[in-house]
Amino acid sequence: MIDLRGRHLISPSDLDLREISSIMSLAQSMQQNLSSYASLCRGKILATLFYEPSTRTKLSFESAMLRMGGNILGFSDASTSAVSKGESIADTIRVLDSYADIVVMRHPKEGAPKLAAQYSRVPLINGGDGGHQHPTQTLTDLLTIHMYLGRTSHLKVAFCGDLKYGRTVHSLIETLARYPGATFYLISPEELRLPPRLKEHLEQHSDCALIECRRMEEALPAVDILYMTRIQKERFFNEADYLRLKNSYVLDSDKLAQAKAKMLVMHPLPRVNEIAYEIDSDPRAVYFKQAELGVYARMSLMAHLLGVDGL
Ligand code: NCD
């Protein structure tokens, strides 16, 4: 196991590929032999600071810590914390790191976890900041891809939906681009295209190919992975725009019939309308398994950042 003790995780680029691979291999071993890690974090406390709603991220972090024998505390509604009295993030973190050994923070403002990390004496993990980054979803996604396809390089991946505000997309695409031979199909309405700065970054710093499409059919027959995302109502300023765009892309059996027999359908969840329920029983639909693997990815990450003994 590579030593990541005391480190923060704000963006996936905080980890090099060797470090990611160390997290993946421990996560796989945790999945195969869960009970042998049941006391790994005994005496450790995870604080979950969720300033924005979450089901999977928060609960999978909590489950991950509990499955390693540790404890959890935190809030999921900032209105019940001193934040509602006007407390700054810096002050919250300064105190909290004496109550916990590791912290995960989700915040609607981009950059909030980065700021918090500057004040934190314990490892701080970004659990999603606005429309920016979501590094632990990326670890979850990589683990899923690795387990089903056996590789993370030379992949053709279609990202579909809200590529502008979708932080899961930003983090995953940036990370997959660091492996050789990636081709990305970017399927979105005009208004929700991948941010130009991210596109430029990919073009300058990786060998990936980027193909922009308007229709799913243009990419479906070619790809190894279809990564669907929700059109994110909460990031729109204007309800009318959301209503106009919300059903832009819906994956149903007719569309899936055009895909490879071994393609993976992934989704960070929650889904709204973008994947028809009829797809759930197709062997290519791995989004619920993906959510399950998120627990192992987060167990392994926390074990690494805490530098716990016994590995
Ligand atoms: C995603 C998120 O919060 O960014 N969900 C998640 O973490 N599993 C995607 C979303 O909310 O659409």
Side-chain angles (χ1 to χ4, degrees), residues 50 52-58 60 106 127-131 133-134 136-137 162 165-169 227-232 234-235 267-272 274 290-291 298:
F50 277 65
E52 195 186 67
S54 165
T55 308
R56 259 150 305 266
T57 303
K58 182 168 182 295
S60 65
R106 168 169 287 193
D129 60 328
Q133 295 284 359
H134 196 343
T136 65
Q137 183 65 45
D162 184 350
Y165 300 112
R167 56 195 175 197
T168 60
V169 172
Y227 195 93
M228 294 295 292
T229 62
R230 169 177 77 90
I231 306 288
Q232 302 187 31
E234 69 275 28
R235 314 258 178 247
H267 192 307
L269 303 176
R271 85 171 130 186
V272 186
E274 57 281 356
Q290 191 182 344
R298 290 173 174 113

Side-chain angles (χ1 to χ4, degrees), residues 107-309:
H107 203 285
K109 283 212 183 87
E110 302 187 359
K114 187 173 179 184
L115 174 76
Q118 288 165 15
Y119 295 93
S120 178
R121 288 170 299 167
V122 301
L124 189 138
I125 302 168
N126 177 4
D129 60 328
H132 192 215
Q133 295 284 359
H134 196 343
T136 65
Q137 183 65 45
T138 295
L139 294 176
T140 301
D141 298 341
L142 290 177
L143 183 62
T144 309
I145 294 170
H146 188 75
M147 286 180 100
Y148 280 93
L149 300 181
R151 67 183 202 278
T152 39
S153 60
H154 301 284
L155 288 172
K156 292 190 168 69
V157 186
F159 289 93
C160 179
D162 184 350
L163 310 189
K164 180 173 180 183
Y165 300 112
R167 56 195 175 197
T168 60
V169 172
H170 303 160
S171 289
L172 182 58
I173 201 166
E174 218 179 284
T175 308
L176 284 176
R178 291 154 70 192
Y179 295 91
T183 303
F184 301 123
Y185 293 78
L186 307 174
I187 314 166
S188 73
E190 191 65 35
E191 296 86 337
L192 297 177
R193 281 160 77 161
L194 201 70
R197 269 185 48 201
L198 178 51
K199 255 184 83 181
E200 277 159 34
H201 174 85
L202 295 174
E203 279 158 359
Q204 282 164 16
H205 295 98
S206 79
D207 72 349
C208 74
L210 293 175
I211 303 169
E212 291 198 310
C213 319
R214 294 301 304 279
R215 299 175 58 242
M216 294 174 83
E217 290 82 344
E218 295 168 48
L220 267 174
V223 297
D224 305 303
I225 298 168
L226 171 62
Y227 195 93
M228 294 295 292
T229 62
R230 169 177 77 90
I231 306 288
Q232 302 187 31
K233 187 174 184 186
E234 69 275 28
R235 314 258 178 247
F236 278 83
F237 293 111
N238 174 332
E239 171 101 16
D241 284 347
Y242 168 70
L243 293 174
R244 184 168 51 81
L245 295 173
K246 70 174 187 172
N247 289 328
S248 300
Y249 300 103
V250 178
L251 180 67
D252 57 17
S253 317
D254 285 348
K255 290 210 182 72
L256 193 58
Q258 302 170 38
K260 288 184 188 169
K262 292 237 147 92
M263 186 190 78
L264 303 182
V265 182
M266 296 178 66
H267 192 307
L269 303 176
R271 85 171 130 186
V272 186
N273 281 327
E274 57 281 356
I275 300 181
Y277 287 100
E278 66 199 26
I279 304 296
D280 295 357
S281 54
D282 192 291
R284 288 169 284 190
V286 299
Y287 29 89
F288 293 118
K289 189 71 186 172
Q290 191 182 344
E292 178 195 323
L293 293 174
V295 175
Y296 307 113
R298 290 173 174 113
M299 283 174 70
S300 172
L301 172 67
M302 288 194 285
H304 275 80
L305 300 183
L306 287 167
V308 285
D309 293 326

